[in-house]
Structure formats: structure tokens, C-alpha cells
Amino acid sequence: IIFIFFIIAPLPVVSAAEESFPFTDVNPDASYAAALAEQYEIGLIGGMGDGTFRPQERVTYAMLAQILCNVTDGYDPADWTSREAYFNPDVIETWYESPAGFVSQYDLIETENWTDTVVCSDTIRAFYRLGLRTEMIGEEELSSYGIDPSEIYDSEKDLKNAEIWAFSKGILREGEYKPDAPVTRAELSELLARVWPLMDDHRKITRICLIDS
């Protein structure tokens, strides 16, 4: 009599969090994972179209522009096509044509090349400007931080004011902020997680306030 034994390897255990998580290249236990999943679910941030998020990929101005549009109530891509007057005509018929037109019209981002990598200071300034235009940030609040209301739209002090606001609201944290450092997609998700609770009820752009260059 010949006995044949089979060793059956146990199947890998997959948690419910891993099964439901939208991106295959993000560890569900990562510090930003829970916020990212929520951002994806409500349409604030997207993936790369192949099931990945590419968390360490650097953010471009075009990507940041799309995020700003996603968090803004009432943005309609059809309203922001072929606006050569607002930005470099090289963006016409690119995927970011509409976002670039929108953020340029509202003076949220300043760039000559939308495919360049965004640095942290420009990201903070963009969120700050969006806050001003949606009235998420008011003059009284800025005055409480020591910012002169007459200087709110002063282009020379724009970044400094944005940094004061961001540190005061906990968006920036001591020891983490490197103004000229490139921003990764994971880092942008973390910043968005800190901004979103502040602007959830302030998503409608109410005015155009162009900052003098």
C-alpha cells in the first residue's frame, strides 16, 4: 500500500481593509491611507487609471490644479476650455486644459510650465489663495494672526501670509516644512487631509481677487 501525502499551503489572509482599499500600491496601514481612501471616495483625489496611486511620484502643477478644482463646488470642466488668455496655449487639448484655465483665472497658481514639479511653498500658497476666494479665510481671522488686512493680497507678502495661516491652522508643522522641497502625491494627500475639514463648508468661489504681480 502506497500512501501519498499532500501538504496544503494555507491561503494568504486578506483583511477587509485591503480588499476594499482602492489602490494596489498603497499600504492600508500607511499614515495617510485612511484619509486617501476617503478623499478618493468623495472625489477629491484620483488614481493613475491602472489601480495605482504612485504615492512617491512628484506632483506637477497640473495635478495640483486638478485637486483644487476637485475641492471647489461648482467647477465645470466645460466652462474652462480653450481659454488661451489665461495660460500658456501649450496646454490646449491636454488633459489639464480645464483645470489650468480655472486656477489661472482665479489666480490660485502661477506657473509657465504645468508639467513642472510643485514645491511645498507653492502648494501652501495655492490652498491659501483658494481659502481667500471661497471666504474660508476671513480678514478677522488673519488679523488675529498679526497679518495686516491691507496686505492680504500683497504679492510680495503672499507666501509669508500663507505660511502664517498654515502653521496657525496646523496644516504645516514645525520641523516638517521645507519650502523648496518637491511634493509627492502621498504628501499632497496628507496636506489635503488637513485642509479639507476647514473648507468642507466653504467650497464655492465667491469672487475673483487677482493678486498684483
Side-chain angles (χ1 to χ4, degrees):
I1 299 175
I2 301 174
F3 294 95
I4 302 176
F5 296 92
F6 295 93
I7 299 176
I8 301 177
L11 294 174
V13 177
V14 179
S15 69
E18 290 174 318
E19 287 184 341
S20 61
F21 200 74
F23 303 114
T24 59
D25 59 344
V26 176
N27 185 337
D29 295 326
S31 60
Y32 61 92
L36 174 60
E38 180 182 1
Q39 293 161 6
Y40 176 77
E41 183 177 351
I42 61 179
L44 300 184
I45 201 165
M48 306 306 293
D50 58 359
T52 66
F53 181 67
R54 302 180 196 172
Q56 299 310 311
E57 181 173 305
R58 293 180 173 182
V59 176
T60 65
Y61 285 95
M63 292 178 184
L64 178 58
Q66 183 64 66
I67 295 296
L68 296 174
C69 291
N70 291 349
V71 303
T72 304
D73 187 32
Y75 164 72
D76 184 348
D79 294 337
W80 299 96
T81 55
S82 300
R83 301 286 183 108
E84 293 94 339
Y86 298 140
F87 47 80
N88 189 322
D90 290 342
V91 307
I92 303 299
E93 297 185 355
T94 63
W95 70 263
Y96 49 87
E97 176 184 355
S98 293
F102 179 83
V103 301
S104 295
Q105 168 69 355
Y106 286 100
D107 211 18
L108 304 180
I109 294 177
E110 298 174 8
T111 183
E112 295 182 357
N113 190 341
W114 293 91
T115 59
D116 280 350
T117 298
V118 172
V119 296
C120 192
S121 58
D122 282 348
T123 305
I124 293 302
R125 177 161 39 198
F127 280 126
Y128 169 75
R129 289 184 176 185
L130 182 62
L132 292 175
R133 284 144 185 73
T134 59
E135 298 185 343
M136 173 183 74
I137 306 172
E139 292 185 5
E140 184 175 342
E141 176 187 354
L142 294 178
S143 295
S144 71
Y145 304 146
I147 297 174
D148 186 335
S150 66
E151 299 177 347
I152 290 176
Y153 300 106
D154 186 331
S155 60
E156 294 183 359
K157 298 183 178 180
D158 191 36
L159 177 57
K160 179 182 177 182
N161 292 343
E163 292 170 340
I164 293 172
W165 165 75
F167 275 114
S168 298
K169 304 301 288 188
I171 299 166
L172 290 178
R173 296 171 182 172
E174 295 294 343
E176 293 181 358
Y177 181 49
K178 298 179 181 178
D180 298 324
V183 177
T184 67
R185 288 171 58 80
E187 290 168 338
L188 180 59
S189 176
E190 290 186 290
L191 288 173
L192 181 57
R194 300 171 190 174
V195 173
W196 176 247
L198 305 177
M199 71 170 303
D200 195 3
D201 295 328
H202 298 273
R203 302 180 63 190
K204 183 70 175 179
I205 285 191
T206 58
R207 62 189 187 279
I208 298 177
C209 301
L210 299 180
I211 297 177
D212 295 332
S213 57

